[in-house]
Amino acid sequence: MLIEHTSLARTASAILEGAGAPRAHADAVAHHLVEANLKGHDSHGVGMIPSYVKGMVDKQVDPNRHAKIIKDNNAIVSVDGGTGLGRIVGFEAMDIGIERTKNFGIGCVALGNAAHLGRIGAFAEYCADQGLVSMHYVNVVGHDPMVVAFGGRDRRFITNPYCCAVPRPNGEHVVLDMATTTVAAGKVRVAHMKGTAVPSQSLVDENGLETTDPGVIFGSNPTGAMQPFGGHKGYGLMVICELLGGALGGVFTMQPEHPRRGATLNNMLSIMIDPEAVGDLASFDQEVGAMMDYIYASTPAEGVDHVRLPGDPEKESAATRMANGIEIDPNSWNSVLNSAEHAGLDRDSIAALAHLLDD
Ligand code: NAD
């Protein structure tokens, strides 16, 4: 099904509000999810609504919560997310960090115990829009692990994303935003919903052997696990996200003393730098631009149309999907509508809010 993006956001917001989020929070979270769809990350788009609704209905996520400063060391601030909606407490934490970075040249915000933050790139882009470089180390907790340690067979992590953005004055920021697994868990879920295979080196079966079947994670009897990307190096970055995001920035890591009640929670350590405080802003911009041009001028490999920078696929996807609509597979859409019923809403009235472009 092809759905027009503003109507998809209206639909998403109505469901989230029905599940208990205040209207302003529901609108902001709906925009965050639809933006992920627009940018090509369906794993972090409206397909997350069923788990957000479940989190609110089960009272594991508090949709009214705001970020609260719990330790203030000027340039370094610790913030309790209080299981508030990730988009809400996450942007509030970014606002605190941006303000400190404008004062001190550098800022660090440790956000703990936020409900699912969604696409981390949104937080980095928000900092980049203020002219700041930012790095975000995130761990994922709250439910059972899904990812093996390098060389291991049993599960120890979830998908720990890392993100870094370099601002450009024209808004065309360079944004590296990635899970430290070969694919994001939501992409395995989407593949399972669509009945398709996942890329190689993404999953292992119960014997630790390579498989492309998403059923080993999302089937009725999940016995497999996900793999960190890039062998020992990607695994190393996953460990650093766990320790900086969870132990330094947040309140807990995946080690088994901590509760796993089912709702996905994130801890995020964000470090922001004002380029103007480091050196000459004009020469920084000039050098970044010149390097980008040099990279873009690469001769493409056979079968590649042109070389891209991190963040480019998202910009291309957003342009296409804004013009043509967002493709949602029928299984995922059915789950979204089921979640509307779970929130006590009338399924048909909610479905009618979405403007289908391929009717
Ligand atoms: P991905 O593999 O699609 O992209 C990763 C990065 O590679 C992006 O910065 C992208 O711009 C870049 N990239 C992709 N193709 C490229 C190319 N041809 N040339 C140059 N650069 C290219 O992303 P992913 O790892 O599947 O992550 C998807 C999303 O999941 C991210 O937004 C991430 O923040 C989110 N995530 C969130 C959580 C959470 O708990 N909140 C957990 C894991 C992932």
Side-chain angles (χ1 to χ4, degrees):
M1 321 167 62
L2 208 49
I3 305 182
E4 188 276 329
H5 70 97
T6 56
S7 74
L8 185 58
R10 261 198 312 278
T11 315
S13 179
I15 300 173
L16 296 166
E17 192 181 4
R23 167 63 75 85
H25 290 190
D27 280 349
V29 175
H31 174 265
H32 186 50
L33 294 175
V34 171
E35 187 181 61
N37 286 116
L38 285 171
K39 297 210 168 197
H41 294 298
D42 294 334
S43 53
H44 289 71
V46 296
M48 293 302 303
I49 288 175
S51 82
Y52 284 23
V53 167
K54 186 169 185 323
M56 288 189 271
V57 170
D58 292 352
K59 307 263 180 258
Q60 291 187 40
V61 172
D62 181 350
N64 294 296
R65 257 323 245 271
H66 290 278
K68 186 171 154 215
I69 294 180
I70 49 175
K71 188 164 185 176
D72 192 334
N73 265 317
N74 302 319
I76 303 180
V77 184
S78 297
V79 172
D80 175 25
T83 72
L85 290 161
R87 162 62 178 79
I88 303 304
V89 295
F91 269 61
E92 289 172 349
M94 293 305 100
D95 281 334
I96 296 166
I98 289 166
E99 188 238 321
R100 302 307 167 98
T101 308
K102 296 262 159 117
N103 278 338
F104 300 107
I106 187 162
C108 175
V109 185
L111 171 64
N113 205 24
H116 189 246
L117 288 164
R119 188 180 69 90
I120 306 302
F123 302 94
E125 287 159 8
Y126 188 61
C127 298
D129 286 343
Q130 307 279 330
L132 305 181
V133 171
S134 68
M135 287 152 273
H136 308 263
Y137 298 85
V138 184
N139 84 331
V140 193
V141 288
H143 62 79
D144 289 336
M146 313 170 79
V147 185
V148 288
F150 180 71
R153 222 190 250 209
D154 41 6
R155 301 165 168 210
R156 286 292 180 271
F157 303 91
I158 308 185
T159 52
N160 294 357
Y162 172 75
C163 182
C164 177
V166 176
R168 299 302 332 276
N170 60 3
E172 298 288 302
H173 315 309
V174 177
V175 184
L176 173 65
D177 174 26
M178 60 185 206
T180 51
T181 42
T182 306
V183 293
K187 287 187 178 152
V188 183
R189 171 175 46 77
V190 171
H192 183 62
M193 291 284 192
K194 288 182 174 169
T196 55
V198 295
S200 60
Q201 296 179 9
S202 302
L203 305 178
V204 291
D205 66 16
E206 70 221 69
N207 299 314
L209 298 173
E210 173 91 31
T211 174
T212 57
D213 174 11
V216 302
I217 302 289
F218 287 102
S220 52
N221 180 26
T223 50
M226 300 175 69
Q227 292 191 51
F229 82 95
H232 61 285
K233 297 185 184 183
Y235 161 65
L237 183 56
M238 172 176 280
V239 172
I240 294 300
C241 286
E242 186 69 31
L243 301 182
L244 295 195
L248 182 63
V251 277
F252 43 91
T253 64
M254 274 305 289
Q255 61 102 344
E257 281 170 22
H258 298 300
R260 293 173 184 168
R261 298 174 59 212
T264 303
L265 301 172
N266 283 135
N267 298 293
M268 174 162 74
L269 185 83
S270 300
I271 299 167
M272 301 155 190
I273 299 171
D274 184 350
E276 209 164 1
V278 180
D280 178 57
L281 187 58
S283 63
F284 169 67
D285 288 337
Q286 196 276 332
E287 194 60 25
V288 171
M291 186 64 208
M292 289 173 72
D293 290 345
Y294 183 52
I295 296 168
Y296 282 135
S298 301
T299 308
E302 207 175 302
V304 175
D305 54 353
H306 61 92
V307 165
R308 292 168 171 79
L309 279 160
D312 288 352
E314 286 76 8
K315 288 170 200 150
E316 290 167 20
S317 170
T320 307
R321 289 184 162 195
M322 269 195 198
N324 303 335
I326 294 170
E327 181 75 47
I328 310 267
D329 69 272
N331 285 336
S332 299
W333 189 238
N334 192 38
S335 300
V336 169
L337 296 180
N338 287 345
S339 74
E341 287 183 314
H342 189 189
L345 299 165
D346 177 62
R347 183 189 181 92
D348 292 339
S349 316
I350 291 295
L353 294 174
H355 176 198
L356 303 187
L357 297 172
D358 53 357
D359 240 359

